[in-house]
């Protein structure tokens, strides 16, 4: 399991670099990231969150593990407003506007280019993780941060 970097760590603000070749080391990193995400009960994790400035993410909203290397959003449409949190920003939840549907491409762990579509929570999660690759945190985009009272009243929180 890897250590999660938290807000204030400048690694979270760097522009992550594209992966040139999907090597065994990249596959090991994907494995470690998935283990860490699950241990921390997150639904997504981007490599900068474990101190690696490479364009790699993992996600699992309960529909199976997604691994993406060099992800690029090709098309985004629609609108959703919902709550987000982040393993790198403990105890903060905010309301964030996102696209409802996205189409994206990237590489899988075999180094093959793949295309996928996502909507709803998965689209939200992937937009949040891809933001991490550009040094953007959800608190930069949040239109509102929940108050302590609102946090206490909630027992279900989206974690990525
Ligand atoms: Co996050």
């Amino acid at each position: 399991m890897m250590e999660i970097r938290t807000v204030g760590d400048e690694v979270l603000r760097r522009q992550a670099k594209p992966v040139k070749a999907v090597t065994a080391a990249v596959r090991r990193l994907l494995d470690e990231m998935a283990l860490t995400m699950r241990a921390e009960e997150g639904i997504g994790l981007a490599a900068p969150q474990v101190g690696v400035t490479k364009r790699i993410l993992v996600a699992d909203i309960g529909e199976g593990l997604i691994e993406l290397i060099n992800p690029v959003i090709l098309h985004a449409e629609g609108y959703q407003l919902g709550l987000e949190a982040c393993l790198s920003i403990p105890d903060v939840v905010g309301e964030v506007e996102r696209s409802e549907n996205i189409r994206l491409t990237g590489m899988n762990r075999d180094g093959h280019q793949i295309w996928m579509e996502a909507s709803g929570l998965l689209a939200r999660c992937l937009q949040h993780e891809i933001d991490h690759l550009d040094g953007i945190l959800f608190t930069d985009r949040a239109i509102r941060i929940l108050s302590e009272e609102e946090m206490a009243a909630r027992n279900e929180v989206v974690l990525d």
Side-chain angles (χ1 to χ4, degrees):
M1 201 178 123
M2 305 178 86
E3 185 199 342
I4 304 267
R5 305 300 185 92
T6 53
V7 67
D9 189 323
E10 57 100 27
V11 74
L12 293 173
R13 292 305 191 176
R14 286 194 213 144
Q15 184 78 18
K17 296 199 170 59
V19 173
K20 291 198 185 96
V22 183
T23 59
V26 169
R27 285 188 281 274
R28 274 198 301 277
L29 175 61
L30 284 165
D31 292 340
E32 283 290 312
M33 286 174 61
L35 281 172
T36 304
M37 173 180 71
R38 294 205 158 115
E40 301 287 345
E41 299 185 332
I43 62 169
L45 191 68
Q49 292 183 274
V50 289
V52 178
T53 48
K54 289 186 176 151
R55 303 190 75 82
I56 297 174
L57 66 82
V58 294
D60 189 348
I61 63 159
E63 299 174 352
L65 180 65
I66 290 169
E67 301 171 321
L68 280 174
I69 299 159
N70 301 341
V72 176
I73 295 176
L74 301 171
H75 183 72
E77 63 177 30
Y79 172 85
Q80 56 171 315
L81 178 64
L83 296 178
E84 291 187 22
C86 181
L87 293 174
S88 293
I89 313 175
D91 304 322
V92 176
V93 176
E95 228 172 355
V96 186
E97 297 175 310
R98 298 285 187 187
S99 297
E100 172 66 15
N101 305 296
I102 58 173
R103 196 165 68 236
L104 63 167
T105 188
M107 279 192 296
N108 65 12
R109 66 161 47 225
D110 301 318
H112 296 139
Q113 191 174 10
I114 54 168
W115 287 264
M116 62 178 290
E117 291 182 357
S119 60
L121 178 60
L122 182 58
R124 171 176 296 281
C125 175
L126 292 172
Q127 287 168 86
H128 175 120
E129 302 312 332
I130 290 169
D131 270 353
H132 273 300
L133 306 181
D134 295 320
I136 299 167
L137 301 175
F138 86 90
T139 44
D140 301 335
R141 294 197 188 274
I143 59 169
R144 196 171 72 87
I145 299 293
L146 267 56
S147 68
E148 280 181 32
E149 290 74 21
E150 287 172 303
M151 291 281 286
R154 286 192 63 80
N155 48 20
E156 171 214 347
V157 153
V158 176
L159 268 183
D160 38 40

